[in-house]
Amino acid sequence: KPLLIHSYPTDPLIAEKIMRGCLLSGAGWSLGGSSTLIDPAWSPEVEKIYRIYLPLVKSVFGAEMLLTPDPVRVNPAGMVKTEIFRSRDKKAYLLSVVFESDTLVPEVKLSVKLPGDCSRAEILKMGESSWQALDFRREEGRLEIKISENLHCCVIRFV
């Protein structure tokens, strides 16, 4: 069953934490709308956070979280949090990537083990609405990916 996060975020930092949580859990979001509470006004800053994150969160909403051993290795360790999903239509795998550090490390390497095969990878970057081709190489049954910029958050789709 899909997970839904319901909140009245009045602070941009809380709004961003909610959206990052949605990315790592495949959750949906609900903002306000309760018939028993008066909805607080959204600040322009909170609305901006939602608009930036919305394409990313929509891409993983309702996807099936995959519980496989050692699905993603990150180098350097601790730079990002990740979660891997099977898309709602079962035609792709999705990898949510949430950066945890503001360091200027020039690149993060991801080593991904999928339960199935793929022929291409695409990335949806924060603040963008269209997928872009992403290079990867195969090594010892894993897909090796380099992300050479701090994207804050992104979703990688394997088709």
Side-chain angles (χ1 to χ4, degrees):
K1 294 183 181 181
L3 175 66
L4 179 67
I5 297 175
H6 184 77
S7 181
Y8 295 97
T10 56
D11 178 288
L13 182 59
I14 292 171
E16 187 164 11
K17 286 181 179 181
I18 290 168
M19 296 309 273
R20 285 175 170 241
C22 289
L23 269 175
L24 291 171
S25 63
W29 61 98
S30 174
L31 306 174
S34 172
S35 61
T36 60
L37 299 172
I38 297 173
D39 297 344
W42 289 8
S43 70
E45 294 84 9
V46 168
E47 187 169 338
K48 181 180 177 183
I49 295 292
Y50 279 96
R51 291 195 190 286
I52 289 171
Y53 275 90
L54 202 56
L56 296 173
V57 173
K58 280 183 175 180
S59 73
V60 297
F61 173 64
E64 174 189 355
M65 189 178 290
L66 297 178
L67 303 175
T68 58
D70 194 28
V72 182
R73 297 176 188 159
V74 178
N75 185 9
M79 289 291 296
V80 298
K81 286 185 178 178
T82 63
E83 194 58 69
I84 193 162
F85 304 89
R86 186 183 331 269
S87 63
R88 290 181 299 277
D89 64 7
K90 310 285 191 230
K91 295 180 180 178
Y93 298 100
L94 304 166
L95 178 66
S96 293
V97 181
V98 176
F99 281 74
E100 289 292 297
S101 173
D102 290 329
T103 183
L104 296 176
V105 171
E107 85 181 0
V108 173
K109 296 176 185 173
L110 303 173
S111 178
V112 182
K113 181 180 174 186
L114 296 176
D117 198 20
C118 77
S119 59
R120 71 179 190 274
E122 302 167 324
I123 187 168
L124 181 60
K125 298 177 182 178
M126 178 181 245
E128 297 184 7
S129 59
S130 60
W131 297 88
Q132 300 171 12
L134 180 65
D135 292 332
F136 68 93
R137 63 183 172 77
R138 297 175 196 277
E139 188 175 303
E140 299 178 14
R142 300 181 78 89
L143 305 178
E144 306 295 326
I145 299 167
K146 292 180 185 175
I147 298 176
S148 58
E149 58 185 302
N150 188 333
L151 301 174
H152 300 287
C153 296
C154 64
V155 176
I156 299 171
R157 178 170 61 189
F158 302 96
V159 183

